[in-house]
Amino acid sequence: QDCTGKLCTFVTKLIKFNECSKQSNPSDTSKTAQTKVMLFDITFLMLCSIVQRYGSKVVFSENGGDSFFEKWVRDCMVEGGRPKPYKKMLDEKDQAGVDDLLRQFNSSDAEFKNCPKLNCYEICLNIPAVIYDVLGAWETSVLSSTDVKRILDAM
């Protein structure tokens, strides 16, 4: 448990950082855009780790917030004993974004380069649909086990 009583305050500040860094502006320099992506990644991973360790009920207030991260946790993050309906995860997808990600993950380029048309949070929202499409293609033998492994490794 939170022995200092400051966990919720810390999470709130991390969420603010995450929200501020989730979208790039056209006026951002390349370095600024890269910094925002890294801040988004770091805060997102820290928040995921905290929620995995303490649970969303401990970390978030009863009525819940409307930040991207809180919505993502409610709709997409798997928590022990709290299954999420996969159709809810797929509701948020953008098919063009899913196609961009599939092209990137299926390319021969081993290093993932952020899809320029997608912001970090859009990638998070589209990943469940990418996985759904990959598994569907594997199930219907459109993709081989080797193809699926390569795509998942790239992911």
Side-chain angles (χ1 to χ4, degrees), residues 1-99:
Q1 291 288 350
D2 178 17
C3 60
T4 64
K6 302 291 183 189
L7 182 62
C8 288
T9 302
F10 181 62
V11 166
T12 300
K13 291 188 186 298
L14 280 176
I15 288 173
K16 284 181 184 176
F17 267 106
N18 188 261
E19 284 292 304
C20 290
S21 61
K22 79 176 186 179
Q23 259 183 311
S24 58
N25 297 322
S27 62
D28 287 346
T29 64
S30 175
K31 185 148 179 94
T32 302
Q34 227 175 358
T35 301
K36 283 184 176 183
V37 167
M38 285 190 290
L39 276 172
F40 180 89
D41 284 348
I42 290 167
T43 56
F44 189 85
L45 291 173
M46 288 174 72
L47 287 163
C48 284
S49 178
I50 291 167
V51 170
Q52 286 174 335
R53 180 171 183 128
Y54 298 103
S56 60
K57 288 194 181 278
V58 172
V59 174
F60 301 136
S61 64
E62 287 295 318
N63 51 358
D66 63 349
S67 70
F68 165 75
F69 184 77
E70 288 169 285
K71 287 178 189 174
W72 182 84
V73 167
R74 280 193 304 272
D75 296 343
C76 299
M77 186 173 182
V78 177
E79 292 182 83
R82 300 182 74 200
K84 309 285 168 99
Y86 75 92
K87 294 224 185 245
K88 176 77 171 157
M89 292 180 209
L90 299 177
D91 286 347
E92 299 295 326
K93 76 174 179 171
D94 167 45
Q95 192 57 51
V98 171
D99 294 342

